[in-house]
Amino acid sequence: MATRINTSSTGATQSTGSPQSPQTVRHSEYYREGGDLYILGHVPSAIIIDSATEATPDEFAKLAWVLHNPLYDDFSAATLEDWFTILRLADKWGFTGMKAMAQRHIHPRAEQEIPDILDRLCKYEAYKLPADIIQELYIQLCTQEEGL
């Protein structure tokens, strides 16, 4: 049984008001006053996040957890849905290495956790997994003994 990613000391986000938006939600661990985003390492381009349309604080926290994972190379706390969120944001913001990492974590687990080939195929296409993996699922779908 997988555990959920705990991205804060309290496991929750904080809701606070601001002059721009009374609905501003600030993540308890990854929010920094001033709004600047600092990521150590190579960033392909500036990241400007429109929180209303691109990511919730909890979704962004999943991506930040990959960058700041206290266990360095142990990502077992992430669920399959966490990896799909990380994949979507990494793809949107051009983090090609993180996108590839998410794909490596998704493919082996999805076969176990999404046993229906058609459901898996729809999810893979929605999240733009590599064409060779999607093609493999089409072949499995077309050659399965039971019908659709």
Side-chain angles (χ1 to χ4, degrees), residues 60-76:
F60 184 78
K62 289 174 180 27
L63 185 98
W65 173 79
V66 171
L67 296 170
H68 300 284
N69 181 1
L71 300 176
Y72 301 108
D73 65 345
D74 180 1
F75 296 98
S76 61

Side-chain angles (χ1 to χ4, degrees):
M1 178 161 90
T3 57
R4 300 290 303 167
I5 296 173
N6 183 1
T7 54
S8 72
S9 58
T10 64
T13 57
Q14 300 172 351
S15 216
T16 59
S18 74
Q20 293 81 20
S21 169
Q23 304 278 325
T24 300
V25 178
R26 297 176 178 166
H27 194 274
S28 60
E29 179 150 345
Y30 297 109
Y31 173 78
R32 299 292 181 256
E33 195 65 44
D36 295 330
L37 173 65
Y38 297 96
I39 298 176
L40 299 176
H42 175 72
V43 178
S45 61
I47 301 173
I48 299 171
I49 300 170
D50 177 0
S51 62
T53 60
E54 294 189 4
T56 67
D58 286 337
E59 289 174 332
F60 184 78
K62 289 174 180 27
L63 185 98
W65 173 79
V66 171
L67 296 170
H68 300 284
N69 181 1
L71 300 176
Y72 301 108
D73 65 345
D74 180 1
F75 296 98
S76 61
T79 66
L80 182 59
E81 285 306 311
D82 292 336
W83 283 116
F84 276 114
T85 298
I86 293 163
L87 173 64
R88 179 178 60 81
L89 296 177
D91 181 55
K92 181 175 213 62
W93 296 328
F95 293 154
T96 55
M98 190 180 297
K99 178 181 174 181
M101 178 181 167
Q103 290 170 344
R104 286 192 306 272
H105 283 273
I106 287 170
H107 186 53
R109 290 180 65 175
E111 196 166 67
Q112 301 284 320
E113 296 181 36
I114 309 174
D116 184 78
I117 295 171
L118 189 55
D119 291 343
R120 202 170 343 128
L121 180 61
C122 290
K123 190 108 176 178
Y124 280 21
E125 285 189 336
Y127 284 88
K128 305 176 191 168
L129 265 76
D132 59 324
I133 294 173
I134 291 174
Q135 182 181 13
E136 176 186 312
L137 287 179
Y138 273 112
I139 292 168
Q140 288 178 22
L141 185 65
C142 293
T143 59
Q144 68 182 356
E145 296 212 8
E146 68 273 0
L148 294 176

